[in-house]
Amino acid sequence: MLFAVSLPFLNEIVALFLVSVVIAYICYKIKLVPIAGFLIAGVIIGPNALALVQDIELVDMLAEIGIILLLFTIGIEFSLEKLARIRNAILVGGGFQVIFTIATVVGILLLFQVDYKIAIYTGCLVALSSTAIILGLLSEQGKTDTPVGRLSLAVLIFQDLAIIAMVLLVPILSGQSDSISDVFWVLGKAIALIALVVFSARKIVPWILEKVAQTRRQELFLLTVMAICFGTAALTNLAEVSLALGAFLAGLVVSESHYSDHALSEILPLKTIFNAVFFVSVGMLLDLQFVLDNPLLLLGVAFGILLLKFIISSASILVLGYPVRVAAATGLVLAQIGEFSFVLERAGRAAGLTPGGFGEVGSQTFIAVSVLLMLLTPLMLKVSPNVGELLSKTPLRKLGSNREDSTDEVQSTDLEDHVILVGYGPAGRNLAKVFSETGIPFVVIEMNPQSVNEMRKNGIKAIYGDASRTHILEHAGVYKAKLCVVVINEPRVTPRIIKLANYLNPTIQVIARTRYMSEAEQLKQAGAHQVVPAEMETTVRLFSNVLKSYMISEEEIEQHIRDLRKEDYQIIRGSIQEAHLMVLQGLDEEGLHTRAVVVREGSFAAGKSLSELMLRNRYQITVLTVHRGENNFGNPAGEFTLKPGDRLIMVGLADRFAEAAEIFREQDMPEELRES
């Protein structure tokens, strides 16, 4: 006889995820950010609507896991080196924005006789912006490395660091810890934990991850990362310090390892799942009847917060010496309330604090306004350049400078016009040697930890990770890359890498190696521009194709091909003999700045004239030639209309190609490329 095991929360979990999927899908179709879908799903299934989920404690427990994973991933992305490199932009820009926002909110609330402790708590809620939404949208549009993207990141970094201190302040502001000795005791434990974490980050965790990575077992690596995450959080909990601080410190520990990017790419799907639950739990707190009864109040508060944050955030960028155009665009991008405000609100609610000290009315107003501003964020990002341009034509332009980019502290150190080399086997090693000797910039993505360590010792830029993951390609600078060369022997993974690279950067050229001629057509269909079977002279073909893209003369290439063959560098099914050093002279600078892109069906460029795309005026990109079938159109006029399948040869700077990528990118990411 079989006995069925009953899960008391099964129906509620099914309802939670089922409604979340449906609503998130609808939001995807109407171009709303996924977080908006999760918030709306929470409203629908919550106790104030359909009441499909009765056990709020269950959702809260899952949401706490989401908070831990959210802060853990933030910690991984904030390496100590990265924080040091952009410290001025973080401390000055971010510090100005947070401190003056809190001070302004406190000043306004004190006029209404609100207690100063509650006013400070409310100011902290308003000061924070949405890291998840802003960075997600910037990444999707290839704008993370623009001045607005870099400055937004700097301010968000300070905010995300500030949340740790804000959470520690909650017991003090709520009156649960009035004694100065209690405050110093908590701070002392936090400092001791930070010291322990820094020691572990330098000495212990990298060694552990190194040993685990050498097993080449993905499941073991993921379990180890999860153990570090929750183990550190548990340690801080035992010390009666914030779980949020523990999760962030755990991420910071992992960030100091060579395997941090791979760890982040592995944990992102888990973070997405539990973060969805977190935002659903927030949505469940919203009372729809309150929204319907108080529309003018909510709109007025939302407009006031948007205006306040826009002005202060813009001013924080002006302080750094940027022009009004850049400052205003960045300020508008940051003018919403973020997910960490919900984390702080939950901590305050547990301690008896409410926004503005208005009890349930204050909580409902905060939640509704936050949701509304989050929903408006994509629109604010879209119109931010226009707002910046408009204000730059007013007398306000005198407040800024003519400086277009930051100092060396916030300037990106990423490569540009470079080659992403996927794989460091025999063919990959030979290609890396060719690139090094010819002065072609490149970065290698490899899953063998020994090879990664070897490359780093030899001064080669190397990333440990899976190139079929979006995060890994982004870390390799895919948006500014000129070429992606795939030389791994994994037929099931290679097509995905090709498709993903083409989607993220439509101007990139992809060259792939395959073992057999029979596999070449599949890779061509996946989007590879050139496929070299290993049954041919793989290395010769690969590096000659790459050098042609950099405008190395045919005579030089042919001479080196002859030299290779004289030395009997013959590829037989992927094996290769050690190559002599090859030094090519006369690398043409123009070769670094040319790109070829195919107009894809469904892209914005399809059916548009060159004048409508404004490539030259907006992006400083010049179209040299358009190839259409057997016909070539040199120096096409502005009225030339592009058709799907046209191949454009263009010249411009790498950051401009990154900004223009959205013109040539397919409007929707193919389902098979989605990671969550």
Side-chain angles (χ1 to χ4, degrees):
M1 182 176 179
L2 297 176
F3 295 92
V5 178
S6 176
L7 294 177
F9 306 126
L10 180 60
N11 292 338
E12 293 177 309
I13 291 176
V14 170
L16 188 153
F17 282 107
L18 185 60
V19 174
S20 298
V21 167
V22 173
I23 300 299
Y25 180 77
I26 294 173
C27 289
Y28 161 73
K29 284 295 186 181
I30 61 177
K31 307 298 183 184
L32 281 179
V33 291
I35 288 175
F38 300 141
L39 291 168
I40 295 170
V43 173
I44 293 174
I45 67 176
N48 299 308
L50 298 181
L52 297 178
V53 176
Q54 298 291 336
D55 196 321
I56 305 299
E57 290 184 6
L58 168 67
V59 178
D60 285 345
M61 180 180 66
L62 295 176
E64 289 294 337
I65 298 176
I67 293 171
I68 290 173
L69 291 174
L70 181 62
L71 283 160
F72 179 64
T73 54
I74 292 296
I76 292 180
E77 293 172 325
F78 292 167
S79 68
L80 296 175
E81 179 186 354
K82 184 177 183 179
L83 292 176
R85 190 169 66 241
I86 58 175
R87 60 186 179 276
N88 277 359
I90 294 173
L91 295 176
V92 178
F96 185 101
Q97 187 272 333
V98 170
I99 292 171
F100 275 83
T101 301
I102 294 174
T104 304
V105 173
V106 169
I108 293 172
L109 291 179
L110 287 178
L111 293 176
F112 292 91
Q113 307 300 312
V114 176
D115 181 81
Y116 79 94
K117 291 182 179 180
I118 294 175
I120 293 173
Y121 168 71
T122 307
C124 291
L125 293 176
V126 175
L128 303 175
S129 305
S130 178
T131 301
I133 294 179
I134 294 173
L135 294 187
L137 290 171
L138 289 171
S139 177
E140 284 180 12
Q141 299 179 21
K143 295 181 178 179
T144 53
D145 208 35
T146 62
V148 171
R150 288 193 291 270
L151 291 166
S152 298
L153 175 63
V155 174
L156 291 169
I157 286 175
F158 187 91
Q159 292 180 2
D160 293 344
L161 291 172
I163 183 62
I164 305 300
M166 292 175 182
V167 171
L168 291 174
L169 275 175
V170 166
I172 301 171
L173 296 176
S174 65
Q176 295 179 0
S177 179
D178 291 327
S179 171
I180 296 296
S181 61
D182 289 344
V183 175
F184 281 107
W185 174 239
V186 172
L187 290 177
K189 288 189 290 185
I191 292 171
L193 280 172
I194 292 172
L196 177 62
V197 164
V198 171
F199 175 78
S200 300
R202 298 294 188 188
K203 303 295 184 182
I204 301 174
V205 172
W207 180 84
I208 293 174
L209 291 179
E210 173 81 27
K211 296 300 181 184
V212 173
Q214 287 175 0
T215 66
R216 309 290 294 275
R217 303 295 300 182
Q218 296 297 99
E219 66 278 11
L220 180 59
F221 187 89
L222 177 59
L223 286 172
T224 303
V225 171
M226 294 293 292
I228 293 171
C229 171
F230 287 97
T232 308
L235 180 64
T236 58
N237 193 46
L238 288 174
E240 298 180 340
V241 179
S242 165
L243 271 175
L245 176 62
F248 176 81
L249 292 177
L252 205 60
V253 165
V254 176
S255 76
E256 293 305 298
S257 164
H258 292 326
Y259 308 107
S260 59
D261 293 295
H262 184 57
L264 183 58
S265 68
E266 287 294 304
I267 207 169
L268 280 177
L270 287 174
K271 187 198 82 167
T272 301
I273 293 172
F274 286 102
N275 280 357
V277 178
F278 168 67
F279 286 109
V280 168
S281 72
V282 172
M284 291 173 64
L285 299 174
L286 182 63
D287 187 346
L288 281 177
Q289 191 60 48
F290 178 83
V291 175
L292 296 175
D293 292 342
N294 302 279
L296 295 180
L297 169 67
L298 298 179
L299 289 174
V301 173
F303 177 76
I305 291 176
L306 190 155
L307 184 62
L308 172 69
K309 295 198 70 174
F310 169 67
I311 293 172
I312 295 178
S313 297
S314 299
S316 70
I317 305 304
L318 287 173
V319 168
L320 291 170
Y322 282 84
V324 168
R325 178 177 60 81
V326 174
T330 307
L332 190 57
V333 170
L334 295 167
Q336 79 285 113
I337 292 177
E339 60 276 358
F340 285 125
S341 294
F342 292 128
V343 175
L344 189 61
E345 193 275 337
R346 290 170 67 89
R349 184 158 25 101
L353 294 173
T354 57
F358 298 121
E360 185 62 22
V361 172
S363 296
Q364 288 298 323
T365 301
F366 164 75
I367 294 170
V369 168
S370 300
V371 171
L372 176 60
L373 292 177
M374 282 184 167
L375 294 175
L376 289 175
T377 301
L379 176 62
M380 291 190 289
L381 177 60
K382 184 177 181 180
V383 303
S384 61
N386 298 330
V387 172
E389 291 288 350
L390 180 64
L391 292 180
S392 68
K393 298 175 182 177
T394 68
L396 291 175
R397 68 180 182 275
K398 298 178 181 179
L399 297 175
S401 72
N402 294 323
R403 162 183 172 185
E404 285 298 311
D405 210 339
S406 58
T407 65
D408 55 350
E409 285 186 319
V410 290
Q411 207 160 17
S412 174
T413 58
D414 293 340
L415 294 170
E416 60 180 38
D417 291 316
H418 59 289
V419 180
I420 298 176
L421 177 58
V422 182
Y424 197 65
R429 288 172 183 270
N430 191 65
L431 284 167
K433 183 175 292 186
V434 172
F435 299 154
S436 296
E437 294 300 320
T438 56
I440 292 175
F442 72 101
V443 61
V444 182
I445 300 176
E446 172 59 49
M447 284 290 291
N448 186 323
Q450 286 89 353
S451 297
V452 172
N453 289 333
E454 174 192 330
M455 283 185 279
R456 285 177 171 161
K457 288 178 182 177
N458 293 330
I460 297 175
K461 293 182 181 295
I463 298 171
Y464 176 84
D466 182 354
S468 67
R469 298 290 182 92
T470 300
H471 173 76
I472 298 298
L473 283 180
E474 287 179 338
H475 187 65
V478 66
Y479 297 114
K480 288 188 175 183
K482 179 180 175 68
L483 293 169
C484 178
V485 183
V486 186
V487 290
I488 57 175
N489 292 321
E490 297 185 43
R492 291 179 297 177
V493 178
T494 300
R496 176 182 168 82
I497 297 174
I498 295 170
K499 291 178 182 178
L500 188 59
N502 274 312
Y503 174 77
L504 296 174
N505 180 1
T507 68
I508 202 169
Q509 298 293 293
V510 182
I511 302 172
R513 186 194 70 167
T514 182
R515 289 185 177 183
Y516 308 111
M517 292 287 292
S518 58
E519 298 172 348
E521 185 58 33
Q522 179 191 8
L523 300 185
K524 278 283 189 181
Q525 291 178 356
H529 300 87
Q530 304 223 23
V531 179
V532 182
E535 295 164 313
M536 304 169 68
E537 295 176 282
T538 306
T539 303
V540 172
R541 286 286 306 279
L542 283 170
F543 90 75
S544 64
N545 285 327
V546 171
L547 297 185
K548 286 177 183 177
S549 298
Y550 282 86
M551 293 190 173
I552 303 298
S553 67
E554 291 284 345
E555 293 77 13
E556 274 191 303
I557 295 173
E558 288 299 323
Q559 179 60 48
H560 284 281
I561 289 176
R562 287 193 293 271
D563 291 343
L564 279 176
R565 287 171 175 162
K566 285 179 184 178
E567 298 295 333
D568 197 26
Y569 297 129
Q570 187 74 15
I571 308 304
I572 301 177
R573 300 202 181 279
S575 65
I576 182 171
Q577 301 178 21
E578 183 179 3
H580 287 281
L581 295 177
M582 294 177 293
V583 181
L584 295 182
Q585 302 297 328
L587 180 62
D588 191 342
E589 179 67 18
E590 186 181 355
L592 291 171
H593 302 307
T594 57
R595 300 285 177 90
V597 61
V598 175
V599 178
R600 292 165 171 81
E601 186 76 48
S603 67
F604 178 80
K608 299 289 193 305
S609 67
L610 292 177
S611 60
E612 289 178 295
L613 298 182
M614 299 178 66
L615 291 173
R616 179 173 295 177
N617 294 336
R618 180 174 294 177
Y619 304 103
Q620 289 77 56
I621 293 174
T622 301
V623 178
L624 302 177
T625 308
V626 177
H627 299 294
R628 178 177 294 169
E630 299 297 325
N631 300 317
N632 296 326
F633 302 90
N635 297 316
E639 60 270 16
F640 187 93
T641 300
L642 300 178
K643 297 181 179 180
D646 285 354
R647 188 167 182 266
L648 281 64
I649 308 300
M650 304 179 291
V651 62
L653 298 178
D655 59 344
R656 297 300 186 179
F657 281 118
E659 292 177 20
E662 58 186 334
I663 293 176
F664 301 102
R665 183 182 291 128
E666 296 176 60
Q667 292 186 7
D668 297 323
M669 176 181 277
E671 289 298 326
E672 67 268 21
L673 298 183
R674 298 183 179 275
E675 297 173 10
S676 59

